[in-house]
């Protein structure tokens, strides 16, 4: 299974001083050397961590695959059209949220999402939609023309009881099966860490996991190459 490393928090640390260090471009190089299969960044409207300069440089330097998470806005579509990443993942974005709080409601916003997918596709950018593990959302993602879905693993990762955890794991599995049936690319992520990743990594249909916080948090203590290599070993 492939590992996409989300390096937003390298930029969060840099922005704490609004300076130049640590540079997410340097982090991306080290992640790739340690075995990452892709690099993910979230360009937020408020630019709280990743900046325009980062996505431009990452596009030039990432040797694997650059995935940019973004809200479905005209500003972001324009940036994606210019940068031309391997993939854009559309996510819902609320100004004061600490992190992405849930998947897109593809059904409620289907007209707008369909239009955004079609604009990005016209620029040859592959589009993935970050969705909660519901059958209706997966079907809607297919209907609006997305090429892939990233299944939100947050409910699984934050389940407080074993019963809830098993239930949430089954929902991810069923969502992956539905996405496979519809011939969508299948990714998953959010709140995965070194202790909870294995049951998700064992799901055959999921092609790639996007993991950020846990890897960067471990990197503070053991270095980013070791943190990435340890996660990569768990995915195997
Ligand atoms: N996938 C999406 C769509 C996200 O928004 C995030 C967080 O930025 C992640 C994956 C990674 O989540 P985490 O940092 O909890 O590993």
């Amino acid at each position: 299974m492939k590992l996409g490393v989300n390096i937003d928090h390298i930029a969060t640390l840099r922005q704490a001083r609004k300076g130049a260090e640590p540079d997410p471009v340097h982090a991306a190089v080290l992640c790739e050397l340690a075995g990452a299969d892709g690099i993910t960044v979230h360009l937020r409207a408020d630019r709280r961590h990743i900046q325009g300069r980062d996505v431009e440089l990452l596009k030039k330097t990432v040797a694997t695959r650059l995935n940019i998470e973004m809200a479905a806005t005209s500003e972001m579509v324009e940036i994606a059209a210019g940068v031309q990443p391997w993939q854009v993942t559309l996510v819902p974005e609320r100004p004061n949220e600490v992190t992405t709080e849930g998947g897109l409601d593809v059904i409620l916003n289907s007209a707008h999402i369909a239009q955004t997918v079609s604009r990005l596709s016209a620029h040859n950018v592959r589009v993935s939609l970050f969705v909660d593990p519901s059958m209706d959302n997966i079907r809607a993602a297919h209907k609006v023309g997305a090429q892939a879905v990233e299944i939100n693993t947050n409910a699984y990762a934050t389940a407080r009881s074993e019963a809830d955890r098993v239930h949430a794991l089954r929902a991810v599995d069923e969502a992956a099966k539905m996405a496979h049936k519809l011939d969508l690319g299948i990714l998953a992520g959010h709140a995965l860490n070194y202790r909870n990743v294995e049951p998700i990594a064992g799901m055959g249909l999921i092609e790639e996991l996007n993991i950020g916080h846990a890897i960067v948090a471990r990197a503070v203590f053991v270095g980013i190459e070791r943190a990435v290599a340890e996660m990569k070993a768990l995915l195997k």
Side-chain angles (χ1 to χ4, degrees):
M1 177 173 289
K2 288 189 163 63
L3 171 63
V5 180
N6 180 315
I7 56 171
D8 289 348
H9 286 338
I10 302 293
T12 301
L13 187 54
R14 178 191 58 192
Q15 296 311 110
R17 288 291 171 93
K18 305 253 186 301
E21 291 178 324
D23 191 330
V25 177
H26 299 171
V29 173
L30 292 174
C31 289
E32 290 187 322
L33 289 174
D37 301 290
I39 300 296
T40 294
V41 291
H42 184 171
L43 185 66
R44 285 182 169 270
D46 64 8
R47 305 297 195 273
R48 73 167 78 149
H49 38 55
I50 295 294
Q51 308 295 308
R53 163 267 186 208
D54 298 329
V55 293
E56 283 161 23
L57 285 176
L58 286 167
K59 164 66 186 181
K60 290 184 181 144
T61 52
V62 164
T64 54
R65 312 195 296 192
L66 177 63
N67 172 42
I68 306 182
E69 295 174 11
M70 54 175 57
T73 63
S74 293
E75 182 204 7
M76 290 297 155
V77 169
E78 215 166 288
I79 291 170
V83 172
Q84 293 267 302
W86 165 71
Q87 177 175 273
V88 158
T89 301
L90 295 177
V91 298
E93 194 175 299
R94 289 202 310 126
N96 295 316
E97 66 188 1
V98 172
T99 181
T100 311
E101 287 175 348
L104 286 168
D105 189 331
V106 189
I107 301 160
L108 192 67
N109 303 297
S110 67
H112 179 67
I113 294 172
Q115 189 188 39
T116 308
V117 170
S118 120
R119 288 173 68 191
L120 288 165
S121 302
H123 291 288
N124 294 318
V125 177
R126 171 184 148 113
V127 185
S128 176
L129 304 183
F130 182 56
V131 291
D132 292 333
S134 95
M135 296 297 162
D136 288 346
N137 260 321
I138 305 284
R139 282 194 207 95
H142 179 251
K143 230 176 180 174
V144 298
Q147 282 112 317
V149 285
E150 179 178 332
I151 301 168
N152 185 2
T153 50
N154 189 59
Y156 158 73
T158 58
R160 284 170 174 250
S161 70
E162 182 60 15
D164 284 354
R165 201 182 69 88
V166 168
H167 184 260
L169 194 61
R170 192 171 307 136
V172 172
D173 187 44
E174 283 166 7
K177 284 182 179 137
M178 172 59 75
H180 179 69
K181 223 160 122 185
L182 297 170
D183 211 17
L184 289 163
I186 310 170
L187 301 91
H190 212 275
L192 295 175
N193 60 42
Y194 296 83
R195 286 178 298 282
N196 66 21
V197 77
E198 281 174 290
I200 298 284
M203 287 182 181
L205 294 176
I206 299 175
E207 296 150 24
E208 179 164 350
L209 299 182
N210 270 320
I211 306 179
H213 186 89
I215 292 176
V216 176
R218 182 167 290 211
V220 171
F221 298 113
V222 306
I224 200 159
E225 289 177 280
R226 182 165 148 197
V228 170
E230 286 177 3
M231 183 58 81
K232 185 73 193 170
L234 288 175
L235 300 203
K236 283 180 181 153

